[in-house]
Amino acid sequence: MNDFPVDQVDSVVTPWNVSGVVDYDKLIEQFGSQKIDPQLLKKFESLTGRPLHPFLRRGIFFSHRDLQEILQLYENGTKFYLYTGRGPSSDALHLGHMIPFLFTQYLQEAFQVPCVIQLTDDEKFLFSKDNSKKLEDYQRLGWENAKDILAVGLDCERTFIFRDTDYIGTMYPNILKIQKAVTYNQARAIFGFDDSDNIGKHGFPAVQAAPSFSSSFPQLFGPQNNLPCLIPCAIDQDPYFRMTRDVAPKLGYRKPALIHSKFFPALQGENTKMSASMAHTAIYVSDSAKQLKTKVNKYAFSGGGATIEEHKKYGGNCDIDVAYKYLSFFLEDDEQLEKIRQEYSSGKMLTGEIKAKLIQVLQPFLEQHQQRRSQVTDEMIRKVMTPRKLSF
């Protein structure tokens, strides 16, 4: 399949590939989304009655489609539901995978709303270049990934997690309606499909679109419903939902709203994305303390000077330093993060010291997650994967 890149110098942004130097302001302009501005953040804080999540304060979730309408509906008493997902390709999630789920957990708790999480085992089977893996392998990975997802603290009474191969029958009427409303030429223009792609790939975008419409979940929300939907996701997934939003009025459904995150960089550099297929690019939530330390010290790209003397003289570049970037995601204290930025930029803090700080922050995060995951039983997964009425 050909990549269908956003037209940016030295970068490719598709649902399957992110590479090069991503200009997020230009991405907003070319995707046609909107930047999250201070007024919207103020509204967010006012409605939730709690401090903004660090991902919002620091511009990690930076772009949106119709977020202001979702907030206005909520203020007027109309609840919404959250929808996000994961393509199961590894036994454990890496830190980049965790970002939308950590944020979704915050949104669910702040607004007290239901959440549906799609595990696209079918997508991974159709799009994988690894022909040694069977469909059953991706189904198993979906089950295992559900344990990591639930361990972020989602409310079981308000959460439905589903593998497509289990639930697709219920969504199929909406999938058919979406497929009929999108021409082959439109799908090829959006996703870059070509004649060498299997036919399953061509039909899949409708499967990812269907959960955006609450009528895909009659057992959760009732048979006759048109609830608003908010989708937290990385911005590379936006093409799916641009298509979805174009189709929605034709089907008489609400357009889903979106809130986009920036990419969590691979260990090797700021403008790359972690890959589950390349273990050395990623820190997994299953990594031991030793593995974490080795990966950070050996692979984390440094924005520091070539020598200690040079670093002390000129300082480090936080814009490209991976340890600093990871701290901006996982160190909650704004003042401490700013102090690190100043000291590293001035050369007072050395590369080894900022990496040590990152290890100090991530190690308890991983340990706590692993402890919570160990408490997630198969029975709990069966419960959250059972279609049932969700609590508002």
Side-chain angles (χ1 to χ4, degrees):
M1 184 178 65
N2 295 329
D3 287 319
F4 190 71
V6 173
D7 183 21
Q8 295 191 81
V9 177
D10 298 326
S11 73
V12 172
V13 178
T14 78
W16 308 282
N17 183 27
V18 177
S19 63
V21 179
V22 178
D23 182 332
Y24 288 103
D25 288 333
K26 191 171 183 180
L27 206 56
I28 285 175
E29 180 182 343
Q30 294 190 342
F31 275 7
S33 60
Q34 292 178 281
K35 193 168 186 175
I36 296 176
D37 58 28
Q39 186 175 358
L40 199 53
L41 292 178
K42 187 177 180 181
K43 181 84 168 178
F44 215 103
E45 198 165 26
S46 172
L47 287 177
T48 60
R50 61 176 64 196
L52 290 172
H53 194 283
F55 292 168
L56 287 171
R57 295 199 307 267
R58 297 171 187 169
I60 291 168
F61 277 82
F62 71 106
S63 164
H64 74 98
R65 295 183 185 277
D66 292 344
L67 179 60
Q68 74 284 353
E69 292 186 15
I70 283 282
L71 296 181
Q72 189 61 54
L73 285 167
Y74 181 82
E75 187 175 28
N76 293 339
T78 300
K79 290 292 184 77
F80 59 91
Y81 74 101
L82 299 163
Y83 159 42
T84 193
R86 153 89 176 127
S89 58
S90 57
D91 281 287
L93 274 62
H94 61 53
L95 293 182
H97 296 142
M98 293 291 284
I99 302 308
F101 296 116
L102 292 169
F103 190 62
T104 297
Q105 187 277 330
Y106 157 78
L107 292 173
Q108 183 185 61
E109 188 176 87
F111 290 101
Q112 295 290 292
V113 291
C115 171
V116 299
I117 295 173
Q118 180 182 46
L119 298 171
T120 56
D121 50 355
D122 53 345
E123 176 201 22
K124 287 303 177 183
F125 175 67
L126 290 168
F127 284 79
S128 175
K129 296 177 182 178
D130 182 359
N131 292 324
S132 67
K133 279 191 175 181
K134 299 178 181 179
L135 176 59
E136 291 79 8
D137 294 322
Y138 295 105
Q139 291 173 315
R140 181 189 65 79
L141 292 174
W143 184 274
E144 292 304 312
N145 287 181
K147 296 176 182 179
D148 274 328
I149 293 167
L150 201 58
V152 303
L154 291 163
D155 183 346
C156 290
E157 300 304 318
R158 291 188 169 94
T159 302
F160 175 52
I161 302 176
F162 63 96
R163 296 178 297 194
D164 282 341
T165 53
D166 295 328
Y167 191 70
I168 199 166
T170 306
M171 296 193 296
Y172 196 55
N174 272 342
I175 291 170
L176 284 175
K177 293 174 186 177
I178 296 163
Q179 288 174 335
K180 188 171 183 178
V182 180
T183 68
Y184 172 73
N185 284 340
Q186 287 173 321
R188 186 169 58 181
I190 296 168
F191 300 104
F193 297 135
D194 63 32
D195 293 341
S196 68
D197 290 315
N198 66 62
I199 60 175
K201 291 182 181 181
H202 296 256
F204 175 75
V207 180
Q208 185 158 325
S212 307
F213 305 134
S214 61
S215 58
S216 294
F217 304 101
Q219 292 163 290
L220 279 60
F221 305 127
Q224 303 296 326
N225 64 82
N226 197 6
L227 289 174
C229 175
L230 175 61
I231 304 170
C233 62
I235 197 166
D236 60 333
Q237 297 301 300
D238 188 73
Y240 281 112
F241 301 113
R242 291 205 304 274
M243 180 199 77
T244 307
R245 286 168 55 84
D246 286 342
V247 166
K250 301 175 187 177
L251 306 183
Y253 296 151
R254 295 178 185 264
K255 291 183 178 182
L258 286 92
I259 182 166
H260 303 120
S261 73
K262 294 178 179 178
F263 303 121
F264 191 82
L267 284 164
Q268 283 75 6
E270 155 65 10
N271 290 296
T272 57
K273 194 172 79 163
M274 281 188 166
S275 171
S277 61
M278 294 183 286
H280 65 281
T281 70
I283 294 171
Y284 288 87
V285 293
S286 58
D287 281 349
S288 67
K290 183 179 179 180
Q291 287 173 314
L292 170 65
K293 186 176 181 180
T294 298
K295 287 183 177 182
V296 170
N297 286 330
K298 186 175 182 179
Y299 295 115
F301 184 81
S302 172
T307 65
I308 292 177
E309 292 74 18
E310 183 181 316
H311 181 82
K312 287 183 175 180
K313 183 177 181 180
Y314 298 109
N317 183 353
C318 289
D319 291 337
I320 62 172
D321 190 272
V322 166
Y324 178 79
K325 290 294 180 181
Y326 283 21
L327 286 169
S328 72
F329 279 82
F330 286 97
L331 178 60
E332 292 192 13
D333 190 316
D334 290 342
E335 291 183 6
Q336 192 176 1
L337 183 65
E338 175 59 18
K339 182 181 179 183
I340 290 170
R341 188 194 67 79
Q342 291 179 5
E343 291 187 352
Y344 191 66
S345 298
S346 69
K348 183 178 179 181
M349 176 179 279
L350 301 178
T351 294
E353 292 173 322
I354 196 171
K355 287 187 175 184
K357 181 61 182 177
L358 176 62
I359 293 166
Q360 182 186 350
V361 169
L362 287 182
Q363 189 167 322
F365 173 83
L366 295 182
E367 288 174 352
Q368 290 164 18
H369 179 83
Q370 290 163 15
Q371 182 180 8
R372 290 194 300 268
R373 190 191 191 280
S374 69
Q375 297 169 353
V376 177
T377 64
D378 285 341
E379 181 58 36
M380 291 170 68
I381 296 302
R382 277 190 284 272
K383 178 181 177 180
V384 296
M385 283 190 169
T386 300
R388 67 212 185 279
K389 187 174 182 179
L390 295 185
S391 171
F392 275 88

